[in-house]
Amino acid sequence: MKPSNGTIGKTFFILLVLVFTSRVNAQPDKSTIKTSVESTQFIFHAQTALPSSGRSRQLTSEYDLRIFPDSLVSNLPFYGRAYSVPYGSGDGGFNFTSTKFEYTATPGKKRGWDITIKTKDVNDFREFSLSLSDDGYGTLQALSNNRQPISFTGYITQVK
């Protein structure tokens, strides 16, 4: 016996609801997010890339920005125009580790935080600007010296 389209649709809907509720339940609470931001220790998980030119892209691989009190580890893709690229520069993403950076977190206009991270030991990179809601969702803008700006939407989690 072949399942009907209605049965397949209901099954898909139930699976979609389960995935959504598990993602929502996986989010840390507001006090945990506040503690993570204030202690300079969290991970921003990028879900969508928004280049300055071109279309947005849903990210299917694990891309993130890991922030610790003593280091910053960036594993983010780049889509857009590069004005000058050093010879043999590699994959073209924002893949680096910085140990010399400034981290500034200020309360946002509508709750949440505005976080600025300026690197001092990465040649081609200038700063990250993260607008974060008190629910842990946010937009990260990456500014480079030799590339168009790019933004990412995503969420933060605690470092385990």
Side-chain angles (χ1 to χ4, degrees), residues 8 25-28 30-32 36 44 51 80 85 94 97 99 101 109 122 126 129 131 136 140 143:
I8 293 172
N25 292 337
Q27 279 299 103
K30 293 178 183 184
S31 65
T32 304
S36 296
F44 175 82
V85 179
F94 295 117
T97 299
T99 56
F101 61 94
K109 293 179 182 175
V122 180
R126 205 167 53 227
S129 179
S131 295
L140 176 72
L143 301 173

Side-chain angles (χ1 to χ4, degrees), residues 8 16 25 30 44 63 66 81 106 116 151:
I8 293 172
L16 186 64
N25 292 337
K30 293 178 183 184
F44 175 82
Y63 292 106
R66 296 173 180 267
R81 183 173 180 201
T106 57
T116 304
S151 296

Side-chain angles (χ1 to χ4, degrees), residues 53-123:
S53 58
R55 60 181 176 81
S56 64
R57 299 169 189 251
Q58 294 299 318
L59 302 176
T60 56
S61 298
E62 294 286 326
Y63 292 106
D64 58 30
L65 176 66
R66 296 173 180 267
I67 298 145
F68 304 99
D70 61 347
S71 64
L72 172 73
V73 181
S74 175
N75 175 31
L76 295 168
F78 177 74
Y79 306 100
R81 183 173 180 201
Y83 303 114
S84 69
V85 179
Y87 180 74
S89 63
D91 66 338
F94 295 117
N95 298 308
F96 61 83
T97 299
S98 173
T99 56
K100 294 180 184 175
F101 61 94
E102 291 178 16
Y103 176 93
T104 308
T106 57
K109 293 179 182 175
K110 294 183 179 181
R111 300 186 304 218
W113 297 269
D114 293 324
I115 300 168
T116 304
I117 304 167
K118 295 181 180 181
T119 60
K120 296 182 178 193
D121 57 351
V122 180
N123 290 336

